[in-house]
Amino acid sequence: MNDRSTVRTGLAAVAALCAVATAPWPAGQAWAAPADGAAGARPYRTQGTSVEGTSDAQGAPPLKPGFGYVDSIAAGQKRHYEVRLDATSSAYVSAVAAPRPGAGVASYRDGLKVTLESPDGATCGSSDRKIEANGVAYPLADYAARLAEPGSVASCRKAGRYVVTVERGTGSQDPARWPLELRLMVEPPVKGGDRGQAPEGSWRTPAPEPPEGQARWRQGGRGFNDARPLSTGVWADQIKPGETHFYRVPVDWGQRLNAIAELPASKTGEGAGVNDALGMRAFNPARGLTRKTSFAGYDGRKARAELDTAPVAYGNRTARAEYSVRTMSFSGWYYLAVTVNPEVTRFFKGAVPLTLRVRVSGDPAAGPTYDGDAVRAGFGLTDADKREAARAPATGDDAMAVPAGRSEDRLRLVAYASYAAGALLLIGLGGWTLVARRRAPVAAAGTPGPGRHRRPGPPPPAR
């Protein structure tokens, strides 16, 4: 066998082994030295076609259903877009504004407002979201809706050109433009018959007991588009301070979602506690904010943030109830977004172990009959969706199961082992290279080595 070929093959093998040995552990993060605030934290991942909103409604670019759009917005700026709607479908225009991790945001000053206006200029729906933890930059998301329901504003049930306005507050301390992600989702109308009434009072029932047992790895995504699926159970992840991780959970008609995010006790942290350390928010399939927690403090002891929703019912949208109930009005993928304050670095080295306890409770119920393909429009669930969320992957990082309370130690141990293995392989690479160099003169002379024979074949070309 040709020595150079052998060396090339060996080098490739060693390089591949090094890559495997030093690849990030389940959460996509290696154990690292203490970070400076949000240094190294991954930003929100936008996805979609570039679009440039206008400063006034005239000439605003169109948004079409089924597509994502990406823009940016400065402090104090308004961006306008147009959507074309029929007279019978409900529509939801969502906006996600994502300040970079570690940005100097101010609570209840930095925010984003989304408004949807009818062809006649009437306001059909709006949302106004603010940062609620000082110095903690996280994605702000919600929608403005047009409901084609009896009792809604008459001009908002007309077909025609509607105008979407996205506005960022003027009092921001962050000079950077924020990435902006936009999406229009159109819900088909419901055929005649029972649409399902809001289950009055059911959202006030006690939350179900959180699941216990062994945690399975599930790395969180960096946005709505790559949110990782979860089902009832205990899940483990790692998150860098300053990051927000996204997950999605299938919730059917008649079901409700309960979720708990936990940070473990710190073994190395010192100093004062962090007031707004851990926060979690839930969003419906159209990216409307459904439920949120107050940010939990952290002083080195175990901390948690918990939320639970009302059961899903079509009639919730018109119920005489709070906003968090009205937004639980269609089945489909619901999203969880978990944020960790950059200041938590004083208690952890590198990424922080995160545990999620998720429970979907209630028996699936029959929903309304849509006059159109609701699942294709982004609403509803298939059996494949439910299997995807419940499946424990047989391969890859997510296949690992971690006993409760041991994730931090295990991650540290495996990270050290990975680096040690990588170092040994690099030493082997050096030795392999040295052998190759020593054999090179022999190969160049065309003289077979001791005890070796030249392969049969054509003679080398004449020089």
mmCIF file of all heavy atoms in Angstrom, residues 240-272:
data_model
loop_
_atom_site.group_PDB
_atom_site.id
_atom_site.type_symbol
_atom_site.label_atom_id
_atom_site.label_comp_id
_atom_site.label_asym_id
_atom_site.label_seq_id
_atom_site.Cartn_x
_atom_site.Cartn_y
_atom_site.Cartn_z
ATOM 1 N N LYS A 240 -26.456 29.014 27.645
ATOM 2 C CA LYS A 240 -25.492 30.026 28.066
ATOM 3 C C LYS A 240 -26.226 31.242 28.621
ATOM 4 O O LYS A 240 -27.262 31.646 28.077
ATOM 5 C CB LYS A 240 -24.608 30.439 26.897
ATOM 6 C CG LYS A 240 -23.436 29.500 26.661
ATOM 7 C CD LYS A 240 -22.391 30.155 25.785
ATOM 8 C CE LYS A 240 -21.141 29.275 25.718
ATOM 9 N NZ LYS A 240 -20.095 29.911 24.880
ATOM 10 N N PRO A 241 -25.721 31.838 29.684
ATOM 11 C CA PRO A 241 -26.345 33.052 30.208
ATOM 12 C C PRO A 241 -26.475 34.104 29.107
ATOM 13 O O PRO A 241 -25.530 34.375 28.366
ATOM 14 C CB PRO A 241 -25.380 33.497 31.307
ATOM 15 C CG PRO A 241 -24.767 32.208 31.784
ATOM 16 C CD PRO A 241 -24.597 31.384 30.545
ATOM 17 N N GLY A 242 -27.662 34.678 29.006
ATOM 18 C CA GLY A 242 -27.944 35.643 27.954
ATOM 19 C C GLY A 242 -28.722 35.058 26.797
ATOM 20 O O GLY A 242 -29.292 35.804 25.994
ATOM 21 N N GLU A 243 -28.785 33.739 26.697
ATOM 22 C CA GLU A 243 -29.481 33.095 25.593
ATOM 23 C C GLU A 243 -30.956 32.875 25.903
ATOM 24 O O GLU A 243 -31.371 32.853 27.067
ATOM 25 C CB GLU A 243 -28.855 31.741 25.266
ATOM 26 C CG GLU A 243 -27.545 31.824 24.519
ATOM 27 C CD GLU A 243 -27.031 30.461 24.100
ATOM 28 O OE1 GLU A 243 -27.555 29.432 24.588
ATOM 29 O OE2 GLU A 243 -26.086 30.413 23.296
ATOM 30 N N THR A 244 -31.721 32.671 24.834
ATOM 31 C CA THR A 244 -33.104 32.209 24.929
ATOM 32 C C THR A 244 -33.235 30.957 24.082
ATOM 33 O O THR A 244 -32.854 30.959 22.909
ATOM 34 C CB THR A 244 -34.091 33.271 24.412
ATOM 35 O OG1 THR A 244 -34.002 34.440 25.236
ATOM 36 C CG2 THR A 244 -35.528 32.750 24.453
ATOM 37 N N HIS A 245 -33.724 29.875 24.677
ATOM 38 C CA HIS A 245 -33.930 28.627 23.962
ATOM 39 C C HIS A 245 -35.417 28.403 23.709
ATOM 40 O O HIS A 245 -36.247 28.690 24.574
ATOM 41 C CB HIS A 245 -33.349 27.451 24.753
ATOM 42 C CG HIS A 245 -31.861 27.334 24.637
ATOM 43 N ND1 HIS A 245 -31.153 26.208 25.023
ATOM 44 C CD2 HIS A 245 -30.930 28.204 24.155
ATOM 45 C CE1 HIS A 245 -29.869 26.396 24.793
ATOM 46 N NE2 HIS A 245 -29.710 27.606 24.277
ATOM 47 N N PHE A 246 -35.720 27.850 22.535
ATOM 48 C CA PHE A 246 -37.101 27.635 22.111
ATOM 49 C C PHE A 246 -37.407 26.141 21.969
ATOM 50 O O PHE A 246 -36.568 25.372 21.485
ATOM 51 C CB PHE A 246 -37.370 28.320 20.769
ATOM 52 C CG PHE A 246 -37.518 29.814 20.858
ATOM 53 C CD1 PHE A 246 -36.406 30.622 21.019
ATOM 54 C CD2 PHE A 246 -38.767 30.409 20.776
ATOM 55 C CE1 PHE A 246 -36.534 32.000 21.096
ATOM 56 C CE2 PHE A 246 -38.916 31.784 20.862
ATOM 57 C CZ PHE A 246 -37.789 32.584 21.015
ATOM 58 N N TYR A 247 -38.612 25.774 22.391
ATOM 59 C CA TYR A 247 -39.104 24.397 22.291
ATOM 60 C C TYR A 247 -40.558 24.461 21.811
ATOM 61 O O TYR A 247 -41.216 25.501 21.933
ATOM 62 C CB TYR A 247 -39.052 23.689 23.651
ATOM 63 C CG TYR A 247 -37.746 23.887 24.384
ATOM 64 C CD1 TYR A 247 -37.549 25.012 25.201
ATOM 65 C CD2 TYR A 247 -36.699 22.977 24.270
ATOM 66 C CE1 TYR A 247 -36.346 25.214 25.867
ATOM 67 C CE2 TYR A 247 -35.499 23.169 24.942
ATOM 68 C CZ TYR A 247 -35.327 24.296 25.731
ATOM 69 O OH TYR A 247 -34.138 24.500 26.393
ATOM 70 N N ARG A 248 -41.064 23.349 21.261
ATOM 71 C CA ARG A 248 -42.463 23.316 20.830
ATOM 72 C C ARG A 248 -43.134 22.042 21.341
ATOM 73 O O ARG A 248 -42.511 20.976 21.410
ATOM 74 C CB ARG A 248 -42.572 23.431 19.317
ATOM 75 C CG ARG A 248 -41.782 22.410 18.526
ATOM 76 C CD ARG A 248 -41.700 22.810 17.052
ATOM 77 N NE ARG A 248 -40.808 21.911 16.310
ATOM 78 C CZ ARG A 248 -41.217 20.929 15.533
ATOM 79 N NH1 ARG A 248 -42.523 20.700 15.390
ATOM 80 N NH2 ARG A 248 -40.358 20.171 14.886
ATOM 81 N N VAL A 249 -44.399 22.183 21.703
ATOM 82 C CA VAL A 249 -45.152 21.105 22.335
ATOM 83 C C VAL A 249 -46.494 20.967 21.624
ATOM 84 O O VAL A 249 -47.203 21.964 21.448
ATOM 85 C CB VAL A 249 -45.388 21.403 23.832
ATOM 86 C CG1 VAL A 249 -46.073 20.218 24.515
ATOM 87 C CG2 VAL A 249 -44.074 21.737 24.539
ATOM 88 N N PRO A 250 -46.896 19.769 21.206
ATOM 89 C CA PRO A 250 -48.208 19.612 20.577
ATOM 90 C C PRO A 250 -49.318 19.631 21.624
ATOM 91 O O PRO A 250 -49.315 18.847 22.572
ATOM 92 C CB PRO A 250 -48.111 18.241 19.895
ATOM 93 C CG PRO A 250 -47.111 17.486 20.713
ATOM 94 C CD PRO A 250 -46.139 18.496 21.242
ATOM 95 N N VAL A 251 -50.273 20.533 21.464
ATOM 96 C CA VAL A 251 -51.400 20.651 22.391
ATOM 97 C C VAL A 251 -52.685 20.593 21.568
ATOM 98 O O VAL A 251 -52.911 21.440 20.700
ATOM 99 C CB VAL A 251 -51.339 21.957 23.207
ATOM 100 C CG1 VAL A 251 -52.451 21.979 24.247
ATOM 101 C CG2 VAL A 251 -49.978 22.112 23.881
ATOM 102 N N ASP A 252 -53.525 19.607 21.849
ATOM 103 C CA ASP A 252 -54.729 19.375 21.049
ATOM 104 C C ASP A 252 -55.938 20.063 21.687
ATOM 105 O O ASP A 252 -55.866 20.603 22.797
ATOM 106 C CB ASP A 252 -54.968 17.868 20.926
ATOM 107 C CG ASP A 252 -55.577 17.485 19.587
ATOM 108 O OD1 ASP A 252 -56.216 18.353 18.960
ATOM 109 O OD2 ASP A 252 -55.414 16.319 19.171
ATOM 110 N N TRP A 253 -57.063 20.032 20.970
ATOM 111 C CA TRP A 253 -58.315 20.575 21.515
ATOM 112 C C TRP A 253 -58.626 19.918 22.860
ATOM 113 O O TRP A 253 -58.491 18.710 23.010
ATOM 114 C CB TRP A 253 -59.470 20.318 20.562
ATOM 115 C CG TRP A 253 -59.317 20.934 19.203
ATOM 116 C CD1 TRP A 253 -59.054 20.292 18.034
ATOM 117 C CD2 TRP A 253 -59.423 22.330 18.883
ATOM 118 N NE1 TRP A 253 -58.987 21.194 17.001
ATOM 119 C CE2 TRP A 253 -59.221 22.446 17.483
ATOM 120 C CE3 TRP A 253 -59.683 23.484 19.630
ATOM 121 C CZ2 TRP A 253 -59.255 23.674 16.828
ATOM 122 C CZ3 TRP A 253 -59.719 24.705 18.966
ATOM 123 C CH2 TRP A 253 -59.505 24.800 17.595
ATOM 124 N N GLY A 254 -58.986 20.715 23.841
ATOM 125 C CA GLY A 254 -59.335 20.207 25.160
ATOM 126 C C GLY A 254 -58.149 19.990 26.072
ATOM 127 O O GLY A 254 -58.330 19.668 27.254
ATOM 128 N N GLN A 255 -56.944 20.174 25.594
ATOM 129 C CA GLN A 255 -55.748 19.957 26.416
ATOM 130 C C GLN A 255 -55.154 21.272 26.890
ATOM 131 O O GLN A 255 -55.378 22.330 26.302
ATOM 132 C CB GLN A 255 -54.703 19.159 25.630
ATOM 133 C CG GLN A 255 -55.132 17.744 25.281
ATOM 134 C CD GLN A 255 -54.033 16.963 24.602
ATOM 135 O OE1 GLN A 255 -53.320 17.465 23.733
ATOM 136 N NE2 GLN A 255 -53.879 15.699 24.992
ATOM 137 N N ARG A 256 -54.377 21.180 27.952
ATOM 138 C CA ARG A 256 -53.693 22.347 28.491
ATOM 139 C C ARG A 256 -52.220 22.011 28.695
ATOM 140 O O ARG A 256 -51.836 20.845 28.772
ATOM 141 C CB ARG A 256 -54.317 22.786 29.818
ATOM 142 C CG ARG A 256 -54.240 21.743 30.911
ATOM 143 C CD ARG A 256 -55.011 22.128 32.147
ATOM 144 N NE ARG A 256 -54.482 23.303 32.820
ATOM 145 C CZ ARG A 256 -54.855 23.676 34.038
ATOM 146 N NH1 ARG A 256 -55.800 22.983 34.681
ATOM 147 N NH2 ARG A 256 -54.333 24.733 34.599
ATOM 148 N N LEU A 257 -51.401 23.053 28.779
ATOM 149 C CA LEU A 257 -49.947 22.901 28.893
ATOM 150 C C LEU A 257 -49.459 23.443 30.224
ATOM 151 O O LEU A 257 -49.829 24.546 30.623
ATOM 152 C CB LEU A 257 -49.272 23.650 27.744
ATOM 153 C CG LEU A 257 -47.735 23.767 27.775
ATOM 154 C CD1 LEU A 257 -47.088 22.389 27.686
ATOM 155 C CD2 LEU A 257 -47.256 24.672 26.635
ATOM 156 N N ASN A 258 -48.645 22.656 30.890
ATOM 157 C CA ASN A 258 -47.968 23.092 32.114
ATOM 158 C C ASN A 258 -46.481 22.869 31.921
ATOM 159 O O ASN A 258 -46.065 21.815 31.430
ATOM 160 C CB ASN A 258 -48.461 22.308 33.328
ATOM 161 C CG ASN A 258 -47.652 22.606 34.585
ATOM 162 O OD1 ASN A 258 -46.827 21.808 34.975
ATOM 163 N ND2 ASN A 258 -47.879 23.743 35.210
ATOM 164 N N ALA A 259 -45.660 23.868 32.267
ATOM 165 C CA ALA A 259 -44.213 23.742 32.078
ATOM 166 C C ALA A 259 -43.473 24.404 33.236
ATOM 167 O O ALA A 259 -43.891 25.447 33.740
ATOM 168 C CB ALA A 259 -43.789 24.374 30.753
ATOM 169 N N ILE A 260 -42.381 23.776 33.628
ATOM 170 C CA ILE A 260 -41.508 24.295 34.680
ATOM 171 C C ILE A 260 -40.079 24.289 34.152
ATOM 172 O O ILE A 260 -39.612 23.277 33.616
ATOM 173 C CB ILE A 260 -41.585 23.446 35.954
ATOM 174 C CG1 ILE A 260 -43.000 23.450 36.524
ATOM 175 C CG2 ILE A 260 -40.585 23.936 36.997
ATOM 176 C CD1 ILE A 260 -43.199 22.492 37.692
ATOM 177 N N ALA A 261 -39.390 25.413 34.269
ATOM 178 C CA ALA A 261 -37.966 25.505 33.934
ATOM 179 C C ALA A 261 -37.190 25.643 35.231
ATOM 180 O O ALA A 261 -37.574 26.424 36.116
ATOM 181 C CB ALA A 261 -37.700 26.702 33.029
ATOM 182 N N GLU A 262 -36.104 24.884 35.370
ATOM 183 C CA GLU A 262 -35.346 24.855 36.621
ATOM 184 C C GLU A 262 -33.857 25.075 36.379
ATOM 185 O O GLU A 262 -33.288 24.537 35.420
ATOM 186 C CB GLU A 262 -35.529 23.502 37.318
ATOM 187 C CG GLU A 262 -36.942 23.199 37.761
ATOM 188 C CD GLU A 262 -37.068 21.803 38.368
ATOM 189 O OE1 GLU A 262 -36.134 20.973 38.195
ATOM 190 O OE2 GLU A 262 -38.106 21.544 38.996
ATOM 191 N N LEU A 263 -33.243 25.855 37.260
ATOM 192 C CA LEU A 263 -31.791 25.970 37.329
ATOM 193 C C LEU A 263 -31.329 25.225 38.582
ATOM 194 O O LEU A 263 -31.957 25.343 39.641
ATOM 195 C CB LEU A 263 -31.351 27.431 37.424
ATOM 196 C CG LEU A 263 -31.683 28.344 36.237
ATOM 197 C CD1 LEU A 263 -31.100 29.734 36.475
ATOM 198 C CD2 LEU A 263 -31.159 27.763 34.940
ATOM 199 N N PRO A 264 -30.237 24.463 38.507
ATOM 200 C CA PRO A 264 -29.773 23.712 39.678
ATOM 201 C C PRO A 264 -29.041 24.607 40.662
ATOM 202 O O PRO A 264 -28.706 25.757 40.358
ATOM 203 C CB PRO A 264 -28.815 22.692 39.048
ATOM 204 C CG PRO A 264 -28.235 23.431 37.881
ATOM 205 C CD PRO A 264 -29.366 24.257 37.331
ATOM 206 N N ALA A 265 -28.792 24.078 41.835
ATOM 207 C CA ALA A 265 -27.984 24.798 42.813
ATOM 208 C C ALA A 265 -26.559 24.910 42.286
ATOM 209 O O ALA A 265 -26.052 24.012 41.613
ATOM 210 C CB ALA A 265 -28.002 24.064 44.153
ATOM 211 N N SER A 266 -25.925 26.027 42.573
ATOM 212 C CA SER A 266 -24.571 26.262 42.103
ATOM 213 C C SER A 266 -23.559 25.738 43.123
ATOM 214 O O SER A 266 -23.764 25.841 44.333
ATOM 215 C CB SER A 266 -24.344 27.754 41.881
ATOM 216 O OG SER A 266 -22.989 28.029 41.631
ATOM 217 N N LYS A 267 -22.466 25.178 42.616
ATOM 218 C CA LYS A 267 -21.414 24.664 43.495
ATOM 219 C C LYS A 267 -20.226 25.613 43.580
ATOM 220 O O LYS A 267 -19.358 25.449 44.413
ATOM 221 C CB LYS A 267 -20.940 23.307 42.983
ATOM 222 C CG LYS A 267 -22.022 22.237 42.982
ATOM 223 C CD LYS A 267 -21.497 20.912 42.465
ATOM 224 C CE LYS A 267 -22.598 19.859 42.476
ATOM 225 N NZ LYS A 267 -22.123 18.544 41.951
ATOM 226 N N THR A 268 -20.176 26.595 42.687
ATOM 227 C CA THR A 268 -19.007 27.470 42.627
ATOM 228 C C THR A 268 -19.339 28.944 42.741
ATOM 229 O O THR A 268 -18.449 29.770 42.834
ATOM 230 C CB THR A 268 -18.258 27.251 41.304
ATOM 231 O OG1 THR A 268 -19.154 27.541 40.222
ATOM 232 C CG2 THR A 268 -17.777 25.815 41.172
ATOM 233 N N GLY A 269 -20.617 29.298 42.692
ATOM 234 C CA GLY A 269 -20.990 30.706 42.647
ATOM 235 C C GLY A 269 -20.715 31.465 43.926
ATOM 236 O O GLY A 269 -20.770 30.928 45.030
ATOM 237 N N GLU A 270 -20.381 32.738 43.772
ATOM 238 C CA GLU A 270 -20.162 33.621 44.912
ATOM 239 C C GLU A 270 -20.767 34.982 44.609
ATOM 240 O O GLU A 270 -21.008 35.328 43.457
ATOM 241 C CB GLU A 270 -18.663 33.777 45.191
ATOM 242 C CG GLU A 270 -17.963 32.482 45.603
ATOM 243 C CD GLU A 270 -16.494 32.693 45.854
ATOM 244 O OE1 GLU A 270 -16.022 33.824 45.630
ATOM 245 O OE2 GLU A 270 -15.824 31.739 46.269
ATOM 246 N N GLY A 271 -20.974 35.749 45.652
ATOM 247 C CA GLY A 271 -21.456 37.107 45.453
ATOM 248 C C GLY A 271 -22.953 37.221 45.613
ATOM 249 O O GLY A 271 -23.650 36.280 45.976
ATOM 250 N N ALA A 272 -23.435 38.423 45.283
ATOM 251 C CA ALA A 272 -24.855 38.719 45.448
ATOM 252 C C ALA A 272 -25.689 37.936 44.450
ATOM 253 O O ALA A 272 -25.216 37.523 43.393
ATOM 254 C CB ALA A 272 -25.084 40.214 45.278
#
